[in-house]
């Protein structure tokens, strides 16, 4: 398995790279003498090994790396039987939900069963072959259980095919019985030969292209919603040509943040519940929405309330048939870049011209949003600095060659809303699964993809830090420099705000004990800084850039101050009944939002 994985390469647009250039693993009795022995014997010659501190985290690192490599490379993750393996389940879900390839190698029971029920395993009276690793099945785009070594002859190539298929990328899981890991088989030499998997760019079918062009030609107020698919397919230039040539504003989902890189009059920023008021204002008026490389989650569509213009129609540009047909869209099943290029060509040939009226509305929406953001950034008398000010300082400090990772809490909302991608720093947002604890290990993966150049930032809340910060130890140990900007607001304040807004109550979401985060970070060997003002944040960012060590910058902010809202509703389950009148009244307001939900087909 190690030799096979080391020989696999992907190739797109003539660029070839190793598919699995390294393996992470935590060893237990289920893998130390099996896969662990193979990695030890390899001595890192073909397969470098990295030791993380938590199995879930190593999958997040693989996701960060894979996204930075636009899904053309990833890491393998080996875990021991039982808890080591099930610790990877959240990582598997995050990968598959976000359609990002990772290779998971959980260890499994004995295939022979001569040992009796093994420790750390299910002992199911009704299903002799059931194991905890079956929980990976719904979270994997490919799952196989290896009960004989020669099964690898078919399982590994099938796993590679699934891994590098952009239409169905996600977690690829090979569950390895612990006794089988050590069994021998005379594999043919050809199995270990270098192999290149070409990732082709699929063009659209002509009839789908004509229908999509026809829909766009009829549009008076068109809008593009650009998702992660645009980023992975390097569609930035194609997006710009279509948008600027034909007067189509581009709104970005979280995964699509920065899809339209650089400065463009057609860029209107994030869309949906965490988006800009500019994008949402245009979305409410749009008559044709080109959804490019997006899954259209509820955060993006405002739980299906945002696209409210009567008769609004959709064009679904996606490699995945499943996504291309959402919202009863005219499907355009293709690689995002090729699809956008063909659309721009066809609109150009048809003599399509932008509508001045719509261009004016785009400019007005952007202008109003910019003014509102500026107002929101102002410090308030008697308050600590706001998170908005921290985001602004980080945005100003990050430039071309740097990458920011965000995933959960108010950091993801604020970055989606207010981060200006014109400065050139890349942004990697994991909001598909929005897993707390993703950011620090994912930043390690980004660092490994990026090499020594540029900074890699993780912007996280204190809640996220407490849930998953021990990969800082891995960062120090492996010499992977990252800079963690930690917002100390004394609790799970994003959810606290949701609770106060929808229930008018405060319960269980603030911390009763104050942690000395800087001391904690220093104890792991990191450099640590503390900041109470935007100037101190700037200085700490500068000092962190000069550091060789991983850094943690603790920013103490006003706990209940949120960035201005997006003017886009989002549904959460609320109680129909409560003994508290204020809760009943607040929850009833959700019915007003629900009444606006539309079924588009
Ligand atoms: C693993 C996981 N558990 C729970 C949640 C639900 N959740 C979303 S944001 C959040 C609070 C995050 O707190 P913090 O990191 O301090 O950020 P803040 O909300 O204060 O901005 C929680 C509990 C989640 N996204 N992921
Ligand atoms: Mg917090």
């Amino acid at each position: 398995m190690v030799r096979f994985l080391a020989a696999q390469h992907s190739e797109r647009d003539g660029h070839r790279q190793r598919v699995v250039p390294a393996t992470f693993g935590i060893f237990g009795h289920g893998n130390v003498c099996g896969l662990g022995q193979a990695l030890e014997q390899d001595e890192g010659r073909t397969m470098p090994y990295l030791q993380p501190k938590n199995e879930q985290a190593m999958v997040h690192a693989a996701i960060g790396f894979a996204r930075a490599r636009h899904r053309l490379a990833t890491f393998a993750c080996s875990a021991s039987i039982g808890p080591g393996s099930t610790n990877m389940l959240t990582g598997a879900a995050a990968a598959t939900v976000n359609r990002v390839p990772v290779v998971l190698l959980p260890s499994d029971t004995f295939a022979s069963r001569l040992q009796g029920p093994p420790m750390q395993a299910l002992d199911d009276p009704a299903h002799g072959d059931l194991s905890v690793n079956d929980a990976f099945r719904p979270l994997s785009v490919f799952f196989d259980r290896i009960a004989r070594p020669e099964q690898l002859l078919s399982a590994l190539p099938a796993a590679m095919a699934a891994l590098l298929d952009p239409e169905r990328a996600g977690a690829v899981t090979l569950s390895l019985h612990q006794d089988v890991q050590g069994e021998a088989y005379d594999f043919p030499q050809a199995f270990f030969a270098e192999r290149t998997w070409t990732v082709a760019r699929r063009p659209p079918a002509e009839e789908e292209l004509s229908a999509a062009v026809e829909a766009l030609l009829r549009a008076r107020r068109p809008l593009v919603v650009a998702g992660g698919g645009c980023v992975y397919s390097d569609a930035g230039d194609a997006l710009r040509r279509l948008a600027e040539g034909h007067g189509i504003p581009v709104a970005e989902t979280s995964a699509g943040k920065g899809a339209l890189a650089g400065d463009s009059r057609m860029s209107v920023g994030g869309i949906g519940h965490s988006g800009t008021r500019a994008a949402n204002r245009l979305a409410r008026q749009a008559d044709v929405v080109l959804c490019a490389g997006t899954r259209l989650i509820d955060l993006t569509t405002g739980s299906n309330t945002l696209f409210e213009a009567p008769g609004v129609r959709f064009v679904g540009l996606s490699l995945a048939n499943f996504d291309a047909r959402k919202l009863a869209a005219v499907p355009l099943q293709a690689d995002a870049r090729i699809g956008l290029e063909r659309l721009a060509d066809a609109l150009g040939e048809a003599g399509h011209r932008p509508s001045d009226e719509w261009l004016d509305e785009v400019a007005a929406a952007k202008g109003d949003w910019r003014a509102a953001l500026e107002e929101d950034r102002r410090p308030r008398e008697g308050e600590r600095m706001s998170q908005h000010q921290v985001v602004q300082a980080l945005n100003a400090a990050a430039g071309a060659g740097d990458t920011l990772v965000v995933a959960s809490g108010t950091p993801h909302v604020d970055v989606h809303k207010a981060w200006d991608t014109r400065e050139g720093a890349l942004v990697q947002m994991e909001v598909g699964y929005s897993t707390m604890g993703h950011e620090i290990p994912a930043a390690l993966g980004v660092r490994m993809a990026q090499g020594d150049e540029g900074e890699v930032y993780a912007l996280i809340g204190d809640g996220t830090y407490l849930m998953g910060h021990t990969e800082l130890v891995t960062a120090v140990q492996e010499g992977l420099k990252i800079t963690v900007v930690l917002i100390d607001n004394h609790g799970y304040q994003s959810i606290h705000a949701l609770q106060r807004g929808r229930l008018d109550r405060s319960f269980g979401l603030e911390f009763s004990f104050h942690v000395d985060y800087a001391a904690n970070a220093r104890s792991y060997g990191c450099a640590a800084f503390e900041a109470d003002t935007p100037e101190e944040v700037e200085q700490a960012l500068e000092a962190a850039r000069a550091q060789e060590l991983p850094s943690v910058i603790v920013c103490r902010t006003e706990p209940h101050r949120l960035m201005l809202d997006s003017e886009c509703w989002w549904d959460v389950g609320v109680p129909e009944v409560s003994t508290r009148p204020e809760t009943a009244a607040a929850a009833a307001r959700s019915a007003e939002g629900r009444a606006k939900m539309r079924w588009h087909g």
Side-chain angles (χ1 to χ4, degrees), residues 366-424:
K366 285 182 70 165
D368 290 352
W369 171 244
R370 250 195 310 267
L373 264 188
E374 208 162 294
E375 178 65 32
D376 190 67
R377 264 198 297 268
R378 293 226 172 94
R380 286 188 197 153
E381 195 64 29
E383 285 193 358
R384 289 183 166 280
M385 71 175 162
S386 65
Q387 184 168 302
H388 193 160
Q389 290 175 300
V390 177
V391 170
Q392 191 194 18
L394 181 55
N395 202 164
D402 299 338
T403 303
L404 169 71
V405 180
V406 271
S408 61
T410 49
H412 97 69
V413 177
D414 289 7
V415 166
H416 193 212
K417 233 182 250 179
W419 186 275
D420 185 341
T421 49
R422 284 177 304 180
E423 297 306 318

Side-chain angles (χ1 to χ4, degrees), residues 387 409-411 436 460-464 486-494 509 511 517 557 559:
Q387 184 168 302
T410 49
M436 291 167 72
I460 62 171
D462 41 4
T464 278
L486 192 169
I487 305 289
D488 181 355
N489 62 13
H490 215 53
Y492 304 126
Q493 296 297 354
S494 53
L509 288 160
F511 300 153
Y517 297 103
T557 60

